[in-house]
């Protein structure tokens, strides 16, 4: 969506939104989003575009993965700090030092206020048809609901701001969780009545987005203190409505999981909502190291291949931030197992029935710099394009290693699971970006936020909770069969008896790893504390090395030791408490 990718707006000065300093109270703030401007056709259109612009900040930079993927069973510590979120570090995960959630708070409330301005002043606008105004209002309500949904999942009770604020105020308090959920659901159901079935431009939200988000909101509220008896029923209802009518919305599952994340297919038929980016440096950050509108998703899961023998950093393999290392649980979740959990694959057949691992993870690196980072062992016979490193996903035998070390073109590095470090591990490639203009330049790919596969998995979860494991298995098998190797669909099918909460969470891992959802999934299902305290999900720290190739760093996390019961909520930014003289209160434990 070109306009949404290229336009950003100055934001209103909302005291609770952060992003301003203490001296702001003594100034006369102004904003492009004034009542006079919002009362014009241009102002309403620009205002809605501004509300969209926040999606780039939520779903593009470090904070997007730090707050949703770090500190879960899927990922362990990388080489860079993540506000203490990877291992629940008590010195970093504080109201003062947790900059990731402070940033999320700021962005959400800034865009909520922009949305409030659009909703408050759009009704009297001249120059737009009633249908166009209704469409813009519906999109705005959906986006406001999404920002509030992020906030309640992270913080619990939060300020419920429904009027446009164009001057500083301290009169802000946290609203009960139930009230915020009620407003989220109202916004989404209001949007259903007017919003378009299909996007007029790539990136626009639609009726399908509203249905998907309603299912997710009801599923999440069902295990919160605000739960209602009909939550699971409604979650199933909205998910089923979307699944049963997907052709109405131009949606459908891709035939091949690999196609979902092919560059250029970010607006494909499986995509329900995404965050748009562009290469225009005026409106999108394409270089730099601070939170902003940049897209670094493709670098978050990339290991330090540039330190391997005969390798150098290049555009093809990407910028190796190495923020999040794959856990053994995530890697091994792709091994086919029977109903009792016993592996049905071994050796070279591991992870071959379920094709998602080999399609969504990079395990082989090819020589791109003969002699780079190498001693005589590795560069004597290296050939451009030959294998430089391999992550086999299993422990190789001495005989296998001997054959590799005796290759005519010379040996390559083999890094087995017992040898993973914070620098070296198989890497998620869903978000790789090869259309960048420089080796270190940021991606301009749209980032997928919601997709139809998740709708199926949410439907399965809702039906499971309602006691209908048969229907749950049916939805799970649609996703599992899509992932099956040729001729192996029946091997991927499960029976209703196999459906459990653990199985559903494991299937969500296999399908959605890295896609801004895991921390919320674990919290919603009550499994965050359970799984993070289980060291089989969160590997213990260990030092390792490989013969012939010294590797620095440790692998694993102290999450199991550090995580406390109160970590199911995030710390309220201390700046927000200070700016309201304590009217906004802190979450317990912080």
């Amino acid at each position: 969506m070109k306009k949404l990718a290229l336009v950003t707006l100055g934001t209103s000065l909302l005291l609770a939104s952060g992003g301003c300093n203490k001296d702001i109270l003594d100034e006369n703030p102004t904003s492009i989003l004034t009542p006079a401007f919002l009362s014009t056709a241009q102002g309403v259109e620009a205002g809605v575009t501004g509300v969209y612009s926040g999606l780039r900040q939520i779903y593009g930079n470090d904070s997007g993965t730090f707050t949703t993927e770090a500190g879960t069973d899927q990922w362990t510590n990388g080489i860079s700090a993540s506000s203490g979120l990877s291992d629940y570090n008590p010195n970093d995960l504080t109201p003062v030092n947790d900059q990731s959630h402070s940033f999320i708070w700021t962005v959400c409330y800034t865009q909520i206020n922009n949305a409030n301005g659009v909703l408050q002043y759009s009704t009297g606008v001249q120059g737009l048809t009633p249908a166009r105004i209704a469409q813009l209002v519906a999109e705005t309500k959906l986006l406001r609901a999404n920002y509030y949904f992020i906030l309640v999942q992270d913080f619990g009770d939060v300020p419920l701001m429904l009027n446009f604020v164009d001057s500083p105020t301290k009169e802000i308090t946290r609203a009960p969780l139930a009230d915020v959920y009620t407003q989220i659901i109202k916004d989404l159901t209001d949007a259903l009545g007017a919003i378009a079935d299909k996007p007029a431009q790539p990136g626009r939200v639609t009726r399908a987005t509203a249905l998907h988000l309603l299912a997710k909101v009801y599923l999440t509220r069902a295990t919160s203190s605000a739960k209602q008896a009909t939550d699971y029923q409604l979650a199933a209802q909205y998910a089923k409505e979307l699944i049963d009518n997907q052709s109405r919305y131009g949606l459908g599952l891709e035939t091949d999981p690999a196609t979902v994340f092919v560059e250029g297919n970010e607006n494909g038929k499986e995509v329900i909502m995404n965050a748009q980016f562009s290469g225009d440096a005026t409106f999108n950050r394409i270089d730099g190291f601070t939170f902003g509108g940049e897209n670094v998703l493709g670098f978050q899961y990339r290991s330090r291949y540039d330190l391997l023998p005969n390798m150098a950093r290049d555009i093809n393999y990407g910028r190796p931030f190495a923020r999040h290392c794959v856990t053994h649980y995530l890697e091994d979740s792709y091994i086919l197992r029977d109903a009792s959990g016993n592996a049905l694959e071994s050796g070279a057949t591991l992870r071959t029935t379920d094709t998602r691992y080999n399609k969504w993870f990079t395990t082989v690196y090819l020589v791109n710099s003969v002699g780079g980072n190498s001693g005589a062992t590795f560069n004597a016979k290296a050939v451009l394009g030959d294998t430089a490193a391999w992550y086999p996903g299993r422990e190789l035998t001495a005989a296998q290693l001997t054959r590799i070390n005796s290759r005519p073109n010379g040996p390559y590095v083999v890094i087995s699971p017992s040898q993973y470090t914070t620098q070296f591990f198989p890497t998620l490639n869903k978000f790789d970006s090869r259309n960048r203009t420089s080796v270190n330049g940021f991606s301009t790919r749209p980032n997928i936020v919601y997709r139809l596969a998740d709708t199926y998995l949410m439907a399965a979860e809702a039906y499971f909770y309602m006691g209908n494991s048969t229907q749950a298995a049916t939805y799970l098998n649609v996703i599992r069969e899509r992932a099956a190797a040729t001729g192996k669909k029946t091997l991927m099918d499960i029976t209703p008896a196999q459906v459990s909460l653990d199985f559903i969470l494991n299937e969500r891992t296999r399908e959605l790893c890295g896609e801004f959802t895991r921390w919320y999934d674990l919290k919603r299902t009550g499994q965050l504390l359970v799984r993070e305290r289980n060291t089989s999900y969160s590997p213990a720290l260990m030092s390792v090395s490989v013969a012939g190739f010294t590797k620095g760093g440790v692998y694993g996390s102290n999450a199991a030791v550090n995580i406390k019961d109160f970590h199911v909520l995030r710390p309220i930014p201390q700046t927000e408490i200070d700016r309201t003289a304590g009217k906004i209160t802190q979450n317990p434990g912080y």
Side-chain angles (χ1 to χ4, degrees), residues 500-519:
S500 66
L501 179 57
D502 273 340
F503 191 94
I504 289 169
L505 281 173
N506 294 345
E507 194 61 37
R508 290 186 67 82
T509 274
R510 288 184 280 268
E511 182 68 25
L512 301 171
C513 59
E515 298 182 49
F516 309 109
T517 190
R518 190 58 175 183
W519 192 86

Side-chain angles (χ1 to χ4, degrees), residues 17-40:
S17 76
C20 54
N21 59 41
K22 187 176 180 181
D23 296 335
I24 203 71
L25 295 175
D26 301 322
E27 298 175 359
N28 181 24
T30 60
S31 168
I32 190 171
L33 291 187
T34 63
F37 183 57
L38 284 169
S39 297
T40 67

Side-chain angles (χ1 to χ4, degrees), residues 26 63 69 87 135 156 233 235 252 271 292 296 313 323 379 383 443 447-448 461 466 474 513 538-539 562:
D26 301 322
S63 66
E69 296 290 332
D87 57 5
Q135 172 68 24
Q233 176 187 338
V271 178
V296 299
R313 185 178 301 193
R323 298 287 194 258
N379 70 6
V383 176
S443 172
N447 286 337
I448 299 171
E461 186 176 336
M466 291 192 296
T474 298
C513 59
S538 180
N562 290 335

Side-chain angles (χ1 to χ4, degrees), residues 55-75:
L55 299 180
R56 290 199 298 270
Q57 297 173 302
I58 296 292
Y59 302 112
N61 56 49
D62 280 344
S63 66
T65 56
F66 287 175
T67 58
T68 61
E69 296 290 332
T72 69
D73 50 2
Q74 295 179 162
W75 314 102

Side-chain angles (χ1 to χ4, degrees), residues 163-405:
N163 295 309
F164 184 56
V165 178
D166 59 359
S167 61
T169 177
K170 290 185 177 182
E171 299 306 313
I172 299 171
T173 59
R174 298 171 71 180
L177 185 70
D179 293 351
V180 185
Y181 266 116
T182 296
Q183 184 61 47
I184 290 170
I185 291 168
K186 182 179 186 304
D187 276 349
L188 292 173
T189 51
D190 285 352
L192 281 178
I195 201 165
D197 285 355
K198 299 177 182 178
Q201 298 167 287
R204 293 272 184 185
V205 293
T206 65
R207 195 172 192 277
T209 318
L211 290 170
H212 180 89
L213 197 48
L214 274 165
K216 192 174 286 284
V217 168
Y218 279 116
L219 195 61
T220 304
R221 191 178 72 168
T223 54
S224 76
S225 61
K227 63 185 177 182
Q228 299 292 314
T230 57
D231 282 344
Y232 287 129
Q233 176 187 338
L234 290 167
Q237 173 188 314
Y238 285 112
K240 185 176 185 300
E241 181 179 344
L242 178 51
I243 291 168
D244 290 350
N245 298 281
Q246 56 192 271
S247 60
R248 167 181 170 180
Y249 306 109
L251 295 173
L253 292 174
E254 299 286 358
T255 303
D256 186 343
T259 307
V260 178
F261 294 98
V262 167
E263 288 188 65
N265 195 42
E266 299 87 358
N267 299 299
K269 65 179 183 179
E270 190 164 323
V271 178
I272 295 173
M273 177 175 140
N274 61 25
Q276 297 282 306
F277 292 85
S278 85
D280 190 325
T282 305
F283 303 106
N284 293 259
R285 292 177 57 84
I286 57 175
D287 203 358
F289 296 91
T290 57
F291 292 155
E294 72 273 18
N295 182 2
V296 299
L297 192 57
F299 311 152
Q300 295 290 308
Y301 305 98
R302 181 62 54 187
S303 61
R304 293 304 305 271
Y305 71 90
D306 58 329
L307 301 180
L308 294 169
N310 299 308
M311 294 298 298
R313 185 178 301 193
D314 66 9
I315 288 178
N316 179 59
Y317 286 123
R319 190 172 173 180
F321 274 18
R323 298 287 194 258
H324 311 289
C325 307
V326 62
T327 61
H328 298 314
Y329 155 71
L330 173 54
E331 187 174 42
D332 288 348
S333 70
Y334 294 97
I335 298 173
L336 185 69
R337 300 179 186 277
D338 63 20
S340 300
N342 300 309
L344 298 175
E345 302 169 317
S346 62
T349 68
L350 284 175
R351 309 175 191 88
T352 58
T353 306
D354 187 330
T355 66
R356 286 173 290 192
Y357 178 76
N358 288 309
K359 290 176 177 178
W360 290 344
F361 284 83
T362 298
T363 59
V364 175
Y365 288 89
L366 304 181
V367 173
N368 67 2
S369 177
V370 175
N373 305 319
S374 298
T377 302
F378 290 101
N379 70 6
K381 299 179 181 180
V383 176
L384 195 68
D386 194 10
T387 302
W390 180 36
Y391 295 90
R394 64 185 190 275
E395 304 300 314
L396 299 188
T397 66
Q400 289 171 319
L401 292 172
T402 297
R403 286 196 295 272
I404 291 170
N405 290 330

